[in-house]
Amino acid sequence: MASNYPQETSAATALLPGSLVHQRREAVAANTLLCQLDILKKTGRYDCFNLKWHPVYSRAPEVWPVPDHLFWDSDVAKWIEGACYLLHDHPHPKIDASIHELVGLIRSAQQPDGYLNLHYTMVEPGKRFTNLRDMHELYNAGHMIEAALAHQHLYKNDMLMDPILKYVDLLHKTFGPGEDQIHGYPGHPEIELALIRLYNRTQNPKHLELASYFIHERGNPTGVKGEHYYDVELRARGDDPYKRPSYHTEVGGCKWYYSAHKPIIEQETVEGHSVRAMYLLTAAADLTRVSSGKASNDLRKATYRLWNNMTQRKMYVTGGIGAVKQYEGFGRDFFLPQGTDEGGCYAETCASIGAMMLAQRILQYDLDSRYSDVMELCLYNAVLTVMSHDGTAFTYVNQLASSDADPAKRSDWFTVACCPPNTLRLLGSIGGYIYSDDSSNGTTSVNVHLYIPSKHTFNLEGQEYTLTQKSNYPWNGAITFTLDRSPETGLSLRLRIPSFAKAHWHLDPPLPSTPEIQKGYLHIPSSYLAALPNQSFTLSLPVTPRLITPHPYATNSNTLTLARGPIIYCVEDVDNPWVTDHFKSVRLDPACLDRVREEDVRDERTGDVYTGLTVVEGARVLDVERAEGEMMGMPFLEVGKSGREAGVNGVNGVNGTHSADFDGLKTKTIEELRFVPFYFRANRGGRGHSRVGIDRWDQC
Amino acid sequence: MASNYPQETSAATALLPGSLVHQRREAVAANTLLCQLDILKKTGRYDCFNLKWHPVYSRAPEVWPVPDHLFWDSDVAKWIEGACYLLHDHPHPKIDASIHELVGLIRSAQQPDGYLNLHYTMVEPGKRFTNLRDMHELYNAGHMIEAALAHQHLYKNDMLMDPILKYVDLLHKTFGPGEDQIHGYPGHPEIELALIRLYNRTQNPKHLELASYFIHERGNPTGVKGEHYYDVELRARGDDPYKRPSYHTEVGGCKWYYSAHKPIIEQETVEGHSVRAMYLLTAAADLTRVSSGKASNDLRKATYRLWNNMTQRKMYVTGGIGAVKQYEGFGRDFFLPQGTDEGGCYAETCASIGAMMLAQRILQYDLDSRYSDVMELCLYNAVLTVMSHDGTAFTYVNQLASSDADPAKRSDWFTVACCPPNTLRLLGSIGGYIYSDDSSNGTTSVNVHLYIPSKHTFNLEGQEYTLTQKSNYPWNGAITFTLDRSPETGLSLRLRIPSFAKAHWHLDPPLPSTPEIQKGYLHIPSSYLAALPNQSFTLSLPVTPRLITPHPYATNSNTLTLARGPIIYCVEDVDNPWVTDHFKSVRLDPACLDRVREEDVRDERTGDVYTGLTVVEGARVLDVERAEGEMMGMPFLEVGKSGREAGVNGVNGVNGTHSADFDGLKTKTIEELRFVPFYFRANRGGRGHSRVGIDRWDQC
């Protein structure tokens, strides 16, 4: 069966050198893979499937009730999976050998009945499946399935797939609606999306059945004799309901944290832990593609509803999701504080990778640029910002504004080490996100979702074609497509017109007739392709500076963000060394858009190339240090007490020339406010002051 | 010994009819007192000291581990206390009889060793003093002391004081630094401030000693054999550290919630539960007045530091404190969301009453209007807003903006019933907040902190004088003071010049020499008073509409609030019936100050009189319903896409004439945006849409 999964289709796409994404993928292949292998070894993860005792097993968990080693299975699995994607075009004997060894260890750790989980084999034998809600048992299983799929795809053998299929068999027997089965589902979704991919490979209906059970049973308020499964499970294991994991904000089980407060089809808003929600919806969307009937339709409607709620009310301008740190998840509609000082901002990388996965799944049945626009937004901003230019340092959360409590800095590794290997997996398979091919009845439509220089191989009527796209995107909007030979009549292309380019794109040579754009995709008909000189044409997108702002109801609605093409910009102290307050006292005038200077930058330290933006005399800094004096002991300032004044010295270090009053505070023009792409933050030292959305003042 | 406590000095001040405060105090005397008595009876509180079993004792607590009846002692005590203040000038045989009966019940409930607490007598005998942190045992004791003080003051007998002194004796034996004493202190402060007042009455050094121990020992990291008392206490009672009360945001005891994360003298910022913090600081400030030495000096410094942190970074423009609902307390510096939708806002009435108490204590040794300004701000806004005009309906939290989740509505009573009786106590003793007298060496300075029509009796060299102040303040700024006879040379007055009046007050007749203003108090010398025709003069304060805004770092810094004199205004749907989104889409131009219409209103339904404000064509409403369409699936809007446009119909129900674009959204001028005093909200029906700070747009 043809696959639509980027983890598999990526093999048909080779990135070409020169682009940002290519550079980051190369860095991952050259550095991250080995660096993570090293960490797997140092921390005990590499060896853990030898089933020897490790001191960590007796340690009190940092986040009760989750033992520190609980994710180790998945850490190993994700590394194997990501490595397999990269080995495809970056052969590496040492990595190869390590995968071989790890697979052997995993095989040896499997229990006779197929069970395969480190914690419940080593630390709590006999207690398997007693805390589906918190113990990541099925989450780990999901990642094992994904590793097996990648391993089988690359090595064309079943060394990892065999034990995993045996484990899945056990799970299929264990979970389901039968009287002697457990009516439960994982607290952290992941196995659902893995099972549907497995079904695509195996065509074994059991695999789809188990995924479907987990998805549809989730949140059933009367799943076990009139009660919610998680309530029954908690009582069965004798837990005190007042013992709360630290990620529970309230007593009562916080079922919304697990997206299990009600059945998915009844959910109106996306809630809880954002990675869990994304993994769950990715599986739900995919399930509706391979199933039919009322339940499937309702599920698809719910997926759309929750997507819309997320992108319109719960997503940062960077594509980041998850405003609340305590539970790593969504706040209420429009609650989008930019940083710790403002009440939160988590925007975990894995969550935005999840949003990309969800968008990719929906695009398989609904080719609409609203999904691929967000996919691109997430990739260039919320996701790429996770790693340093060389792939050796990472962020876990991607706040839009730093604070003294949480400066913008990178670390090498994390106790909960999900994001770096997830980035490995994503960049390993990124080729599969660029294109998708729809073939039927002798026609093929190649859909281009992302503009990343690459060669894409596809089939039309049994013939292999190569489509090459070249550009300096996202810095320059001219993208040239070339087919390796003149195509048959059955070929068409569909090119995403990004929302920022809606009215201003053009094609060279132009289309002979009125362009047909459906749901944001420009249709390039076969007649146009057949008539091309050199099988080549150029799409030009207007890549110019833009100002964007969140929904007027959002908590950060008063901020202006500078963007250019798909790139979201931020300010950093390294370029604006006078800043001492995380840019809290800077005010930006929307009229500044006329005063944005663009320049090509090649950063010396990192070698990174990007377009830098500078706002020239379009921003002011308030003399906030004087505010508390002006407040005269009251909790507020008087507004509009005086007009503009000239010639007053305000803030140290700002080379300003004019001054004006802002609610009785002196202000000073910032001659040059320098912006860099958000993904590039925290790459060049500095003091960790950074901000995306700048407070707006329409009178700078 | 002379008392400086408003609970006692209020007897020397009689409010005159006609003012807002007088009307509310009369409402409390006429309705609230009886209505609360009725509730005490209905719920079982009235009878509880008869020590019969009540079904509530066996009920699972709504907020574990706090049993629903845990505050009953204090509910009764606060009612007795408040009633005693009002009986002073509102004799009432039924109330009188009830107090008599309750005192008898309380006496009968005392244990032979002096112990007096409902819960540990009825429900958990033998466990007294095992959970000082959460069980409100000493908090209840504090309110009993305050009730006894009020009772003794009114009735001039010791019927309640006797048993309470016996209980305090037991507490003094139980708590302290001795080897056989408990080194603990209450999770909810209250007893400290009560003990210092008790000491003022009894002059028994034990009473001061116990208060001082509780205050200075608090937060000691090594209080019990190198450990924090609360950690030791938890272990001693065998509690699981992962069992968290719902008000704990994290594992580890949340000592900051109790203002016990470090000794008070080391605290840099005011943290945790805001009522607890205020009660504690009230006691701390008072302790520094009656003690000396380094510890006392350090404590005074800490009190100033925490006051400044609170008023400059953690207080709403209404005088409300406590941004976070989960733990009813302070957020980080500058975290001041206006409502649930924006991430919080609690602003509990009791907390602002606590801030008034703290201000009143500091004013006894530091006559500075920064304290009395905040005292006035709290009174007219955060406090008076708690009750309906007739004193029968209440709010518990005083959010600055409503939301669908939390509309602006009043309720009759609360399970945790602290605010209504606290309001009773405050209004009962409000006369004591208006004036304070400083007498020494044959001179008396009468300090006027609040402008509320009243007669104040004071002594000068053994002679009784009466100072009468009359005004229509806060609606009109002319305040006339009259002495009942020409004074001796030793009399002077000190009149607070509110911060809003700093440069624009005047006195009639004028002072003969340059006015002397010290720390915001205008000195009226005896020579001026002696020369007055009719012993009368008038202070005029500029009571005009003002616009205020929070600190530029605050989360709500983008909002403008309309104020007039000390009154903070809000908008309500009952006056602006077109609103459907809690005024989230309204934008206010700072230039609107020139277009504010003032009018005297006599509300027909309530009989309330106030100055209403209307902004005429100074605000706009955005067509937010279209925002999600304009967002084109992305999580943001484009800014500055087009200029102003004319003649577009925007929002239903707004009688606008002009239109302009705001980030691509149509807007419409609001012809009349009507404001009412914040304290008056939720008095006239409506749908519960209300807002104080309106989003700012400098181009309406």
Side-chain angles (χ1 to χ4, degrees):
Chain A
M1 195 189 194
S3 161
N4 290 308
Y5 297 109
Q7 295 93 334
E8 296 168 18
T9 60
S10 65
T13 298
L15 300 199
L16 296 173
S19 75
L20 170 66
V21 173
H22 180 268
Q23 186 279 325
R24 291 298 195 262
R25 190 171 184 273
E26 290 301 302
V28 155
N31 302 327
T32 316
L33 208 48
L34 280 167
C35 149
Q36 290 191 1
L37 177 60
D38 196 41
I39 288 163
L40 290 180
K41 288 186 173 171
K42 269 191 209 151
T43 55
R45 285 162 165 86
Y46 190 91
D47 289 327
C48 66
F49 286 108
N50 67 9
L51 303 189
K52 290 185 186 144
W53 192 258
H54 190 285
V56 74
Y57 300 159
S58 11
R59 214 158 63 194
E62 241 178 76
V63 179
W64 179 87
V66 183
D68 295 357
H69 59 272
L70 199 72
F71 311 89
W72 281 16
D73 313 54
S74 70
D75 292 338
V76 169
K78 286 199 282 187
W79 182 84
I80 293 175
E81 186 194 345
C84 286
Y85 302 144
L86 288 163
L87 284 173
H88 170 77
D89 51 351
H90 292 79
H92 197 303
K94 187 180 166 190
I95 304 281
D96 225 44
S98 293
I99 291 175
H100 190 73
E101 189 176 20
L102 281 169
V103 167
L105 281 167
I106 292 169
R107 291 174 65 98
S108 75
Q110 187 164 40
Q111 301 301 294
D113 65 350
Y115 188 75
L116 183 55
N117 178 282
L118 187 64
H119 176 78
Y120 286 106
T121 303
M122 294 299 297
V123 186
E124 293 195 277
K127 293 205 172 172
R128 58 164 85 156
F129 307 137
T130 57
N131 189 350
L132 298 183
R133 197 189 70 174
D134 291 303
M135 294 298 271
H136 290 70
E137 206 169 0
L138 295 171
Y139 168 87
N140 283 329
H143 277 301
M144 280 290 171
I145 295 169
E146 293 210 273
L149 286 165
H151 183 273
Q152 188 188 52
H153 191 66
L154 178 72
Y155 290 104
K156 317 287 181 214
N157 71 42
D158 298 332
M159 288 298 285
L160 187 53
M161 186 56 90
D162 273 346
I164 298 307
L165 286 179
K166 194 174 169 190
Y167 187 20
V168 171
D169 254 6
L170 173 69
L171 297 176
H172 182 266
K173 271 187 219 117
T174 307
F175 296 95
E179 216 161 287
D180 54 348
Q181 288 180 300
I182 300 177
H183 306 333
Y185 36 84
H188 197 316
E190 154 64 27
I191 194 170
E192 299 86 344
L193 70 88
L195 282 169
I196 306 175
R197 283 223 286 130
L198 182 66
Y199 165 70
N200 182 267
R201 181 80 55 86
T202 63
Q203 294 294 302
N204 182 340
K206 285 183 181 178
H207 300 160
L208 186 63
E209 189 180 63
L210 183 56
S212 178
Y213 180 75
F214 283 148
I215 291 170
H216 283 293
E217 182 60 18
R218 189 176 204 87
N220 184 347
T222 55
V224 188
K225 293 178 185 155
E227 282 187 88
H228 192 288
Y229 177 75
Y230 288 158
D231 291 331
V232 174
E233 184 190 67
L234 183 130
R235 207 169 48 237
R237 66 173 180 267
D239 250 8
D240 187 316
Y242 291 114
K243 278 180 76 170
R244 281 191 291 145
S246 58
Y247 40 85
H248 280 200
T249 56
E250 58 198 17
V251 174
C254 283
K255 299 188 182 77
W256 51 266
Y257 169 80
Y258 308 92
S259 293
H261 48 304
K262 48 175 105 167
I264 303 173
I265 56 168
E266 294 176 18
Q267 294 179 18
E268 295 291 333
T269 52
V270 65
E271 299 295 342
H273 189 271
S274 47
V275 174
R276 294 174 201 235
M278 288 304 97
Y279 284 17
L280 177 64
L281 292 180
T282 297
D286 209 24
L287 179 59
T288 74
R289 191 181 52 84
V290 296
S291 60
S292 57
K294 180 170 186 319
S296 180
N297 286 344
D298 288 348
L299 193 61
R300 184 170 290 193
K301 275 186 219 156
T303 312
Y304 281 131
R305 197 163 61 229
L306 300 178
W307 172 274
N308 288 339
N309 176 245
M310 174 174 76
T311 55
Q312 292 172 343
R313 302 180 170 202
K314 296 188 172 184
M315 182 174 264
Y316 287 98
V317 296
T318 57
I321 46 177
V324 183
K325 188 173 180 176
Q326 190 188 351
Y327 56 84
E328 306 179 303
F330 296 104
R332 283 169 186 263
D333 280 1
F334 303 119
F335 182 65
L336 292 165
Q338 291 201 97
T340 308
D341 275 0
E342 300 169 22
C345 188
Y346 201 65
E348 185 182 345
T349 305
C350 289
S352 292
I353 290 177
M356 289 181 66
M357 286 161 37
L358 171 55
Q360 193 277 338
R361 296 300 193 278
I362 297 177
L363 283 168
Q364 302 315 305
Y365 55 77
D366 187 359
L367 190 71
D368 187 328
S369 66
R370 55 195 297 133
Y371 307 108
S372 33
D373 276 356
V374 170
M375 196 165 83
E376 182 181 56
L377 180 77
C378 290
L379 172 64
Y380 280 115
N381 304 289
V383 174
L384 281 188
T385 199
V386 73
M387 59 185 277
S388 62
H389 68 104
D390 59 359
T392 61
F394 297 88
T395 54
Y396 186 67
V397 300
N398 302 305
Q399 55 191 352
L400 275 70
S402 59
S403 59
D404 287 347
D406 287 314
K409 303 264 185 193
R410 296 185 180 280
S411 317
D412 290 348
W413 189 255
F414 306 92
T415 310
V416 179
C418 55
C419 300
N422 236 353
T423 311
L424 196 69
R425 298 196 308 157
L426 177 82
L427 286 177
S429 59
I430 192 68
Y433 287 83
I434 306 177
Y435 304 96
S436 66
D437 308 335
D438 288 337
S439 295
S440 65
N441 301 327
T443 66
T444 290
S445 168
V446 176
N447 311 312
V448 185
H449 310 297
L450 296 174
Y451 296 113
I452 299 174
S454 52
K455 273 186 192 299
H456 176 63
T457 306
F458 61 94
N459 277 284
L460 173 62
E461 296 264 35
Q463 304 245 31
E464 199 173 86
Y465 286 77
T466 299
L467 175 68
T468 303
Q469 69 160 298
K470 288 187 176 177
S471 74
N472 192 23
Y473 188 86
W475 316 120
N476 185 300
I479 302 144
T480 300
F481 291 89
T482 311
L483 284 159
D484 60 339
R485 56 204 165 96
S486 198
E488 299 293 323
T489 52
L491 178 67
S492 61
L493 302 183
R494 284 182 172 76
L495 309 179
R496 178 178 63 97
I497 303 299
S499 67
F500 66 79
K502 211 175 174 186
H504 304 285
W505 59 273
H506 66 92
L507 209 61
D508 179 32
L511 286 164
S513 53
T514 310
E516 183 200 336
I517 297 185
Q518 276 196 339
K519 292 183 171 182
Y521 278 79
L522 173 65
H523 181 221
I524 308 288
S526 56
S527 56
Y528 174 87
L529 294 172
L532 286 172
N534 310 317
Q535 291 88 247
S536 192
F537 69 93
T538 298
L539 170 70
S540 292
L541 302 173
V543 175
T544 52
R546 299 176 292 136
L547 276 178
I548 58 175
T549 189
H551 191 288
Y553 282 174
T555 39
N556 58 346
S557 70
N558 186 45
T559 60
L560 297 174
T561 294
L562 205 52
R564 186 175 179 278
I567 302 292
I568 303 296
Y569 282 74
C570 71
V571 281
E572 280 198 301
D573 64 87
V574 70
D575 304 302
N576 303 284
W578 45 267
V579 75
T580 58
D581 66 353
H582 304 273
F583 298 93
K584 283 187 225 175
S585 53
V586 175
R587 296 292 179 274
L588 193 61
D589 190 330
C592 79
L593 199 53
D594 301 334
R595 283 168 278 169
V596 176
R597 192 176 69 216
E598 304 169 68
E599 56 200 325
D600 294 334
V601 179
R602 181 182 188 89
D603 182 66
E604 284 186 17
R605 262 179 285 189
T606 61
D608 253 33
V609 169
Y610 61 85
T611 301
L613 301 180
T614 302
V615 168
V616 181
E617 294 192 0
R620 283 182 170 267
V621 59
L622 316 182
D623 185 3
V624 168
E625 275 181 31
R626 291 175 48 165
E628 286 171 11
E630 294 288 328
M631 288 161 80
M632 298 190 295
M634 297 296 269
F636 49 72
L637 286 161
E638 298 279 340
V639 176
K641 287 179 72 182
S642 53
R644 282 160 187 261
E645 265 175 54
V648 185
N649 282 316
V651 179
N652 280 340
V654 177
N655 299 315
T657 47
H658 312 294
S659 284
D661 261 18
F662 179 88
D663 303 344
L665 305 179
K666 302 301 173 203
T667 72
K668 207 158 188 194
T669 297
I670 302 170
E671 273 195 0
E672 300 198 331
L673 186 62
R674 294 163 198 276
F675 291 74
V676 295
F678 176 64
Y679 72 77
F680 190 57
R681 81 200 156 106
N683 258 321
R684 301 165 297 161
R687 289 168 285 119
H689 291 236
S690 166
R691 183 167 294 261
V692 171
I694 314 279
D695 273 3
R696 170 183 188 145
W697 186 29
D698 285 24
Q699 296 200 336
C700 284
Chain B
M1 194 189 195
S3 162
N4 291 308
Y5 297 108
Q7 294 92 336
E8 296 169 19
T9 60
S10 65
T13 299
L15 300 199
L16 297 174
S19 76
L20 170 65
V21 174
H22 179 269
Q23 187 278 324
R24 290 298 193 262
R25 190 170 184 273
E26 291 301 303
V28 155
N31 301 328
T32 317
L33 207 49
L34 280 167
C35 149
Q36 290 191 1
L37 177 62
D38 196 42
I39 288 162
L40 290 180
K41 288 186 173 172
K42 268 192 208 151
T43 56
R45 285 161 166 86
Y46 190 90
D47 288 327
C48 66
F49 285 108
N50 67 10
L51 302 189
K52 291 186 184 142
W53 192 259
H54 189 284
V56 74
Y57 300 158
S58 10
R59 212 157 66 194
E62 241 178 77
V63 180
W64 179 89
V66 183
D68 295 358
H69 59 272
L70 200 71
F71 309 90
W72 281 17
D73 311 54
S74 71
D75 292 338
V76 169
K78 286 198 284 187
W79 183 83
I80 292 176
E81 187 195 343
C84 286
Y85 302 144
L86 288 163
L87 283 175
H88 169 78
D89 52 350
H90 292 79
H92 197 302
K94 186 179 168 193
I95 304 281
D96 224 42
S98 294
I99 291 176
H100 190 73
E101 187 175 22
L102 281 168
V103 167
L105 282 167
I106 291 170
R107 290 175 64 97
S108 74
Q110 186 164 40
Q111 303 299 295
D113 66 349
Y115 188 76
L116 183 54
N117 178 281
L118 187 66
H119 177 77
Y120 286 107
T121 301
M122 294 302 295
V123 186
E124 292 195 279
K127 294 206 174 173
R128 59 164 85 156
F129 307 137
T130 57
N131 190 350
L132 297 184
R133 197 189 72 175
D134 291 303
M135 293 299 271
H136 290 69
E137 207 169 359
L138 294 172
Y139 167 88
N140 283 330
H143 277 301
M144 280 291 170
I145 295 169
E146 294 209 273
L149 285 166
H151 184 272
Q152 188 188 50
H153 191 66
L154 179 72
Y155 291 104
K156 316 288 181 212
N157 71 43
D158 299 332
M159 288 299 285
L160 187 52
M161 186 56 88
D162 272 346
I164 297 309
L165 286 178
K166 192 174 172 191
Y167 187 19
V168 171
D169 253 5
L170 173 69
L171 297 176
H172 182 265
K173 273 188 219 119
T174 306
F175 295 96
E179 216 161 286
D180 54 347
Q181 288 180 300
I182 299 177
H183 306 333
Y185 35 83
H188 197 317
E190 154 63 27
I191 192 169
E192 299 86 344
L193 69 88
L195 282 169
I196 305 176
R197 284 221 287 130
L198 182 64
Y199 166 71
N200 181 267
R201 179 82 55 86
T202 64
Q203 292 295 301
N204 182 341
K206 284 183 181 178
H207 299 160
L208 186 62
E209 189 181 63
L210 184 56
S212 178
Y213 180 75
F214 283 148
I215 291 169
H216 284 294
E217 182 61 18
R218 188 175 203 88
N220 183 348
T222 56
V224 188
K225 293 177 186 158
E227 283 187 87
H228 192 288
Y229 177 76
Y230 288 158
D231 291 332
V232 174
E233 184 190 67
L234 184 130
R235 207 169 50 237
R237 68 173 179 265
D239 249 9
D240 188 316
Y242 291 113
K243 279 181 77 172
R244 282 191 291 143
S246 58
Y247 41 84
H248 280 201
T249 57
E250 58 199 16
V251 173
C254 285
K255 298 188 183 75
W256 51 265
Y257 169 78
Y258 309 91
S259 292
H261 49 303
K262 48 174 105 168
I264 302 173
I265 57 168
E266 294 175 18
Q267 294 180 18
E268 295 290 333
T269 51
V270 64
E271 300 295 341
H273 190 271
S274 46
V275 175
R276 295 173 201 236
M278 287 305 97
Y279 283 18
L280 177 64
L281 292 179
T282 296
D286 209 24
L287 179 60
T288 74
R289 190 180 54 81
V290 296
S291 59
S292 57
K294 182 172 185 318
S296 179
N297 287 343
D298 287 349
L299 193 61
R300 184 169 291 192
K301 275 186 219 154
T303 311
Y304 280 131
R305 197 163 61 231
L306 301 178
W307 172 274
N308 289 338
N309 176 247
M310 173 174 78
T311 54
Q312 292 172 343
R313 302 181 170 200
K314 296 187 171 184
M315 183 174 263
Y316 287 98
V317 296
T318 56
I321 47 177
V324 183
K325 187 172 180 176
Q326 190 188 351
Y327 55 85
E328 306 180 304
F330 297 104
R332 285 170 184 261
D333 280 1
F334 303 119
F335 182 65
L336 292 165
Q338 291 200 97
T340 308
D341 275 1
E342 299 169 23
C345 189
Y346 201 65
E348 185 182 344
T349 304
C350 289
S352 293
I353 289 176
M356 289 181 67
M357 284 161 38
L358 172 56
Q360 193 277 336
R361 297 300 194 277
I362 296 177
L363 284 168
Q364 302 315 306
Y365 55 78
D366 188 359
L367 189 70
D368 188 328
S369 67
R370 54 196 298 134
Y371 307 108
S372 32
D373 276 357
V374 169
M375 196 166 83
E376 181 181 57
L377 180 77
C378 290
L379 171 64
Y380 281 115
N381 304 289
V383 174
L384 280 189
T385 198
V386 72
M387 59 184 277
S388 62
H389 67 103
D390 59 359
T392 60
F394 296 88
T395 55
Y396 186 66
V397 300
N398 302 305
Q399 55 191 352
L400 276 71
S402 60
S403 59
D404 287 347
D406 287 313
K409 302 263 186 194
R410 297 186 181 279
S411 317
D412 290 347
W413 189 256
F414 307 92
T415 309
V416 180
C418 54
C419 299
N422 238 350
T423 310
L424 196 68
R425 297 197 310 156
L426 178 83
L427 286 177
S429 59
I430 192 69
Y433 288 84
I434 306 177
Y435 305 95
S436 65
D437 309 336
D438 287 337
S439 296
S440 66
N441 300 327
T443 66
T444 291
S445 167
V446 175
N447 311 313
V448 185
H449 310 297
L450 297 174
Y451 297 113
I452 298 173
S454 52
K455 273 186 192 298
H456 176 63
T457 306
F458 61 94
N459 276 283
L460 173 62
E461 296 264 34
Q463 304 245 31
E464 199 173 86
Y465 287 77
T466 300
L467 175 68
T468 302
Q469 68 159 301
K470 289 187 175 176
S471 73
N472 192 22
Y473 188 87
W475 315 121
N476 185 299
I479 302 145
T480 300
F481 291 89
T482 310
L483 282 160
D484 60 340
R485 55 203 165 98
S486 197
E488 300 295 321
T489 52
L491 178 67
S492 61
L493 303 182
R494 284 183 171 77
L495 309 179
R496 178 177 63 97
I497 303 299
S499 68
F500 65 79
K502 211 175 173 187
H504 304 286
W505 59 273
H506 66 92
L507 208 62
D508 181 31
L511 285 164
S513 53
T514 311
E516 183 200 338
I517 297 185
Q518 277 195 339
K519 292 182 171 183
Y521 278 80
L522 173 65
H523 181 222
I524 308 288
S526 56
S527 55
Y528 175 88
L529 294 172
L532 286 172
N534 309 316
Q535 292 87 251
S536 191
F537 69 93
T538 298
L539 170 71
S540 292
L541 303 174
V543 175
T544 51
R546 299 176 292 136
L547 275 178
I548 57 175
T549 189
H551 191 289
Y553 283 174
T555 38
N556 58 346
S557 71
N558 186 47
T559 60
L560 297 175
T561 295
L562 205 50
R564 186 174 179 278
I567 302 292
I568 303 298
Y569 282 74
C570 72
V571 282
E572 281 198 299
D573 64 85
V574 71
D575 303 302
N576 302 282
W578 43 268
V579 74
T580 58
D581 66 352
H582 305 272
F583 299 93
K584 283 188 227 173
S585 54
V586 174
R587 294 293 179 274
L588 193 62
D589 191 329
C592 79
L593 199 52
D594 303 333
R595 281 168 279 169
V596 176
R597 192 176 69 216
E598 304 169 68
E599 54 199 329
D600 294 334
V601 179
R602 180 183 188 89
D603 182 67
E604 284 186 17
R605 261 179 285 188
T606 62
D608 254 30
V609 170
Y610 60 86
T611 302
L613 301 180
T614 303
V615 168
V616 180
E617 294 192 1
R620 284 183 168 268
V621 59
L622 316 183
D623 186 2
V624 169
E625 274 181 29
R626 289 175 48 166
E628 287 170 11
E630 293 289 329
M631 288 162 79
M632 296 190 296
M634 297 295 268
F636 49 73
L637 286 159
E638 299 279 339
V639 176
K641 287 177 74 180
S642 53
R644 281 162 187 260
E645 264 176 57
V648 184
N649 283 315
V651 178
N652 278 340
V654 178
N655 298 314
T657 46
H658 312 294
S659 286
D661 261 18
F662 178 88
D663 304 343
L665 306 178
K666 301 301 174 206
T667 71
K668 207 158 188 194
T669 297
I670 301 170
E671 274 194 0
E672 300 198 331
L673 187 62
R674 296 164 198 274
F675 291 74
V676 294
F678 176 63
Y679 72 76
F680 191 59
R681 80 201 157 104
N683 257 322
R684 300 165 296 161
R687 290 169 283 118
H689 291 237
S690 166
R691 181 166 297 259
V692 171
I694 313 279
D695 273 2
R696 170 184 188 144
W697 186 28
D698 284 23
Q699 298 198 335
C700 284

